[in-house]
Amino acid sequence: MSGSPVLPLLSGFVERIYTYISDVGADILKPLFVTGCCITAVGFFLSLFIERWLRHSGRLIPNMRRRERVFGSLAVLGSFIGGAGLILLSIFDTKRHSTLHRLFLLIFMIGVALSAIFTIVEYRWISKDFLSVKKLKIAYIAKAIIAGILILLAIAFAVALYTKPDVGAVLEWTISFGFTFYLLTFYYDLRQSKGVHKGELNREKLLANDRTRRMYA
């Protein structure tokens, strides 16, 4: 199309209409792009790390089994890997380091996807132990829906990046906004610890209360 940019872009030297986020971040706005990616990466990791600590300290509903603790820890590890990929892809931009940029983009997507899957499985198991706690079910369902959509969009993005660059650009922007909503679900989780003292939510007390509620339901 006449007038469309022909630049060293994420999808290669191609003529197209829409611009990728990575293209914008590889030019004059790179300092802002790197700063935003660093804040997002650190915020993502800290959200899961703090959530894990609050469960351990009894300010959020705790894990009942070892498998839940393992999946919770794997979710934190996945967020660290994804966050590291996000920071590195912002530093090694697509204009100057296209191969490294795509590699770190892949690491970011895989890390976030694995973290989301581990988190959803952990929440699912916890919610099965505490059926009467509706907030757990809401958090589990919200994360599952958003993460599921984002994973499907990420797969479509990976394909479109090489076949339909304009579609890929639209998908990348859509995924970025969707990821924001996924991060906001952790605000919902962490907010539940407000006003709860350390050790207040222990396993024995919660199970006893849950059995009592179901008995008189």
Side-chain angles (χ1 to χ4, degrees):
M1 179 179 292
S2 178
S4 297
V6 182
L7 299 168
L9 306 168
L10 181 61
S11 56
F13 289 83
V14 293
E15 185 176 358
R16 52 183 175 71
I17 301 171
Y18 303 111
T19 303
Y20 284 77
I21 298 173
S22 299
D23 303 337
V24 177
D27 210 336
I28 192 172
L29 293 178
K30 182 171 181 177
L32 181 61
F33 181 57
V34 173
T35 302
C37 287
C38 289
I39 293 173
T40 302
V42 173
F44 180 41
F45 171 74
L46 287 180
S47 294
L48 276 86
F49 181 82
I50 293 173
E51 183 266 347
R52 175 107 295 281
W53 177 76
L54 289 174
R55 290 200 189 285
H56 178 73
S57 62
R59 293 187 60 193
L60 285 177
I61 293 178
N63 300 127
M64 299 302 295
R65 300 175 182 83
R66 183 180 178 182
R67 67 184 185 186
E68 294 158 10
R69 292 192 293 271
V70 169
F71 271 72
S73 299
L74 288 174
V76 175
L77 177 61
S79 71
F80 178 81
I81 294 172
L86 181 60
I87 293 173
L88 290 171
L89 74 83
S90 69
I91 296 172
F92 295 94
D93 60 76
T94 186
K95 186 176 182 180
R96 301 168 186 84
H97 312 278
S98 59
T99 301
L100 283 175
H101 182 82
R102 292 190 182 195
L103 172 63
F104 293 131
L105 176 62
L106 178 63
I107 292 173
F108 165 63
M109 291 193 298
I110 291 176
V112 171
L114 289 176
S115 177
I117 292 171
F118 291 139
T119 298
I120 291 166
V121 173
E122 179 198 9
Y123 273 58
R124 172 57 179 163
W125 279 335
I126 296 175
S127 66
K128 287 180 69 176
D129 289 320
F130 302 100
L131 297 176
S132 62
V133 183
K134 293 183 179 180
K135 289 182 179 180
L136 271 176
K137 188 173 183 180
I138 292 173
Y140 155 67
I141 293 175
K143 282 180 172 59
I145 292 174
I146 297 173
I149 293 173
L150 289 178
I151 290 173
L152 292 176
L153 289 176
I155 295 172
F157 166 74
V159 175
L161 182 61
Y162 296 95
T163 58
K164 300 286 185 180
D166 282 320
V167 175
V170 174
L171 288 173
E172 186 186 40
W173 284 97
T174 304
I175 291 170
S176 68
F177 286 114
F179 184 57
T180 301
F181 286 106
Y182 180 69
L183 293 178
L184 288 175
T185 64
F186 289 100
Y187 170 76
Y188 173 82
D189 299 335
L190 297 176
R191 196 172 183 277
Q192 294 178 43
S193 66
K194 184 179 179 180
V196 180
H197 300 291
K198 184 177 180 180
E200 186 174 334
L201 299 176
N202 62 68
R203 285 183 264 182
E204 291 74 19
K205 184 188 297 185
L206 287 170
L207 284 176
N209 291 341
D210 196 62
R211 282 194 294 267
T212 302
R213 288 173 184 172
R214 279 188 280 180
M215 185 181 300
Y216 292 100

